[in-house]
Amino acid sequence: MEFLGTTQTATYCGPKKPCGGSALPSVASGPTVQECYQPYYLPGYRYLNAWRPSLFYKVANAQTCLDEGATCRSALRPPTILPAVRSALFCRYSPQDWDQSNRLQLCGAEASRLWAGRMTGDSMRLMQDKDQLTRQMQEGTCRNLGQRLSDIGFWKSELNYELERLLNENHSLDAIKRRLECAAEELGCPLQVALECLYQREKRIGIDLVHDNVEKNLIREVDMIKCCQEQMRKLAQRIDIQMRDNRDAQHALERDLEDKNSAEFIDEKCLNLRNTSDCISFFQGVEKIDGTISVPETWAKFSNDNIRHSQNMRANSIRLREEAQNLFDVLADQLWRQFTNTNLAFNARIAEETDVKNKLQTQLAKTLQEIFQTENTIMLLERSIMAKECPLKVAQTRLECRTRRPNVELCRDSPQFKLVNEVFTIDDTLQTLKLRLRETRDTLQLLVMTKCRLEHELAIKANTLCIDKEKCMAMRKTFPSTPCMGICP
């Protein structure tokens, strides 16, 4: 087996044979030949023409042989050579092959060097262009981030301004709401006064339980106060609903402002990043992720809508505050007029009750004088009866002792008759005195009943006067005004 591309020692098999008496043409000027050898490319020289020995294994074409003559055909056929000798002859090179190989090596090295030089220059220009492009894009990104920070700062200032105004309006609305609730609660004081007057006047006794002017005015006052409380509570509920809407608008502004702060912090951090920063890193594929949910137009519209919504809520709050102030003024005037009318009715009723009470007191004084005389008569009758009791006891004791006499000594004698007659007489006297005593006592009882009726009437009148004058009017000396209502008598 022959190894191509290796150097081996070879010798010529013999002298050159002439072809038809003339020498063979030189290799350099020889005719075109058909190569019988398949070239072997050395590593690194695949694109260079393969070089090989050109002395042997060439077959002349038909045209050359015709020019030399028919005799040359036999002379051009190479001699038969053994395989070993043939291999040695094949691996031997000529000087022309050596020169050609050197020229090819030099040309290849020169071409490679030129190509490398051009590649180096192009690479430097490419790097400079890409560096300049990268710097320009980075500067453009910084400008865009700065503009974005300016936009965020503008909307932050707008949101802060609107949030401050909304908070102030919330405080004012909360104050008017607390004032309404306070007024509604403190109207419970005049309501309690009116109800207490009605309750106290229910303690009037008998005929004094009259559905008079005072009671009518008190009932009217109670209804008016309850109506005022209801109006205030309804308005307070509306304000409470408005405050909830205001808080929703406030939360939207605060949430938007918080998002703006977070975005500003992130964009400032991004703006301050440099190529020498420590916190930069590779995030493969991050440019392919699009997590955005808005564009600059919708982003600005979102904050603008929040501000407009807050402005609408503030306008509604101002209207409610004005309505509450008007309600305070109207209710204060109505309550004050009704309070005055009720007090006038009280004063007229107290004057009537005082006149009736004076008349009853005069009649009671006369009745008491008659009762005193009747009681003296009863006392004398009782003493007289008590004076008859001891003689009756003596007579009855004697009769009882005489009943214990033995046998025939139980005689109906004169002392027995006298004792029996004495007992009956004293008993009849006692019955007469007791009857008169009962009659006197009945008269006294009648006087006492009259006195009781008069005293009862006086107590009723005194009770009514006490209720109307001492209790009711004492509570109604001053109108129970409150700072929340702003009402003064």
Side-chain angles (χ1 to χ4, degrees):
M1 181 176 181
E2 298 176 1
F3 297 94
L4 300 179
T6 59
T7 304
Q8 296 182 5
T9 304
T11 59
Y12 294 98
C13 295
K16 300 179 182 179
K17 294 181 179 183
C19 180
S22 62
L24 291 173
S26 65
V27 176
S29 61
T32 304
V33 297
Q34 180 181 359
E35 296 178 357
C36 298
Y37 168 70
Q38 297 296 327
Y40 173 73
Y41 299 105
L42 293 175
Y45 297 93
R46 294 183 59 84
Y47 299 100
L48 301 177
N49 291 328
W51 58 275
R52 61 193 180 281
S54 59
L55 294 178
F56 300 101
Y57 288 91
K58 293 184 179 179
V59 180
N61 55 18
Q63 184 64 35
T64 306
C65 292
L66 288 176
D67 294 338
E68 295 294 335
T71 58
C72 295
R73 295 179 180 175
S74 59
L76 290 174
R77 182 179 300 121
T80 302
I81 302 174
L82 296 177
V85 176
R86 180 181 177 183
S87 175
L89 291 175
F90 180 79
C91 294
R92 182 67 62 180
Y93 304 102
S94 66
Q96 292 82 2
D97 294 333
W98 184 80
D99 292 336
Q100 184 179 3
S101 174
N102 290 332
R103 286 194 300 271
L104 291 175
Q105 292 291 340
L106 292 174
C107 290
E110 183 68 18
S112 299
R113 188 182 61 78
L114 292 176
W115 173 255
R118 286 195 300 271
M119 183 63 67
T120 301
D122 292 343
S123 298
M124 295 300 295
R125 286 191 299 273
L126 179 62
M127 286 187 293
Q128 291 175 357
D129 293 341
K130 296 304 179 182
D131 288 343
Q132 183 178 3
L133 178 62
T134 301
R135 284 193 302 272
Q136 290 175 354
M137 293 186 67
Q138 199 171 63
E139 291 172 358
T141 302
C142 291
R143 285 193 300 272
N144 291 334
L145 285 173
Q147 182 62 38
R148 182 64 174 179
L149 287 173
S150 299
D151 295 341
I152 292 175
F154 169 76
W155 285 111
K156 274 183 61 179
S157 63
E158 293 294 322
L159 289 171
N160 279 321
Y161 177 71
E162 182 59 32
L163 180 61
E164 183 179 359
R165 297 186 67 184
L166 183 61
L167 288 175
N168 293 334
E169 184 60 35
N170 284 342
H171 292 159
S172 301
L173 198 61
D174 184 60
I176 202 71
K177 176 197 169 186
R178 285 187 282 106
R179 186 180 172 189
L180 280 170
E181 291 175 347
C182 178
E185 290 296 328
E186 291 185 354
L187 274 180
C189 183
L191 177 62
Q192 186 63 31
V193 168
L195 290 174
E196 184 67 20
C197 289
L198 286 173
Y199 173 74
Q200 293 293 338
R201 284 176 64 82
E202 287 298 319
K203 295 180 181 180
R204 293 176 298 171
I205 305 169
I207 195 63
D208 276 12
L209 281 169
V210 182
H211 187 62
D212 51 7
N213 252 348
V214 176
E215 189 167 355
K216 292 177 183 178
N217 279 280
L218 284 173
I219 292 173
R220 195 177 298 116
E221 184 175 328
V222 168
D223 293 339
M224 182 176 292
I225 293 175
K226 287 183 178 178
C227 180
C228 294
Q229 284 183 322
E230 185 65 23
Q231 292 179 15
M232 290 181 179
R233 290 193 178 103
K234 285 183 179 179
L235 185 56
Q237 289 176 358
R238 290 172 55 196
I239 290 177
D240 187 62
I241 294 173
Q242 183 61 45
M243 288 183 65
R244 287 202 296 268
D245 294 340
N246 288 358
R247 283 193 293 272
D248 291 339
Q250 175 187 343
H251 292 162
L253 291 175
E254 290 175 347
R255 186 168 54 250
D256 194 3
L257 192 59
E258 182 180 358
D259 293 342
K260 291 286 188 297
N261 288 329
S262 300
E264 185 179 32
F265 174 77
I266 292 172
D267 286 346
E268 283 182 353
K269 180 180 178 181
C270 294
L271 182 62
N272 294 327
L273 286 178
R274 296 293 182 269
N275 296 333
T276 57
S277 300
D278 296 334
C279 57
I280 58 176
S281 179
F282 288 107
F283 297 91
Q284 297 294 335
V286 69
E287 69 279 359
K288 300 177 181 178
I289 301 174
D290 187 8
T292 58
I293 61 175
S294 66
V295 295
E297 291 77 13
T298 58
W299 174 79
K301 184 177 180 297
F302 179 77
S303 297
N304 191 36
D305 290 344
N306 288 335
I307 292 174
R308 288 185 178 275
H309 179 63
S310 174
Q311 291 172 347
N312 292 334
M313 294 301 102
R314 286 194 296 107
N316 295 337
S317 300
I318 292 172
R319 285 194 294 271
L320 284 175
R321 287 196 292 112
E322 293 175 351
E323 183 179 349
Q325 188 59 48
N326 293 334
L327 182 65
F328 282 140
D329 298 337
V330 172
L331 295 183
D333 182 63
Q334 292 177 355
L335 290 173
W336 170 241
R337 285 202 305 268
Q338 184 58 43
F339 175 77
T340 304
N341 294 335
T342 305
N343 284 354
L344 292 175
F346 262 113
N347 292 331
R349 187 62 180 171
I350 289 171
E352 294 174 359
E353 291 168 352
T354 303
D355 183 60
V356 174
K357 180 184 177 184
N358 291 334
K359 293 177 181 179
L360 289 174
Q361 284 178 341
T362 301
Q363 191 64 33
L364 179 61
K366 296 177 180 180
T367 303
L368 289 175
Q369 182 65 31
E370 191 63 33
I371 289 173
F372 177 72
Q373 294 176 1
T374 306
E375 286 177 347
N376 288 336
T377 302
I378 290 172
M379 183 181 62
L380 294 175
L381 288 172
E382 288 176 348
R383 287 178 182 178
S384 177
I385 291 171
M386 290 177 63
K388 301 299 186 289
E389 288 178 354
C390 290
L392 180 60
K393 291 178 183 179
V394 172
Q396 289 179 350
T397 302
R398 286 174 178 175
L399 283 174
E400 192 276 333
C401 289
R402 285 177 65 83
T403 58
R404 293 197 297 271
R405 291 176 295 173
N407 301 324
V408 74
E409 294 299 327
L410 286 170
C411 178
R412 190 183 294 273
D413 51 7
S414 178
Q416 184 71 23
F417 283 109
K418 289 292 186 181
L419 287 173
V420 172
N421 190 22
E422 183 182 356
V423 169
F424 277 111
T425 301
I426 294 174
D427 185 63
D428 183 61
T429 302
L430 286 174
Q431 293 300 324
T432 302
L433 291 174
K434 287 180 180 180
L435 177 61
R436 183 52 58 85
L437 179 61
R438 282 196 300 270
E439 291 174 353
T440 306
R441 284 178 175 175
D442 290 340
T443 303
L444 179 61
Q445 187 66 30
L446 180 62
L447 292 173
V448 170
M449 289 176 63
T450 302
K451 168 183 168 290
C452 289
R453 283 194 301 269
L454 292 173
E455 288 177 346
H456 180 67
E457 288 298 325
L458 283 172
I460 289 174
K461 298 301 181 284
N463 178 65
T464 303
L465 279 173
C466 179
I467 290 172
D468 289 346
K469 187 176 181 179
E470 302 296 333
K471 294 183 179 179
C472 294
M473 289 305 294
M475 291 186 291
R476 301 177 64 86
K477 284 182 180 178
T478 58
F479 186 81
S481 61
T482 65
C484 295
M485 285 286 292
I487 306 173
C488 58

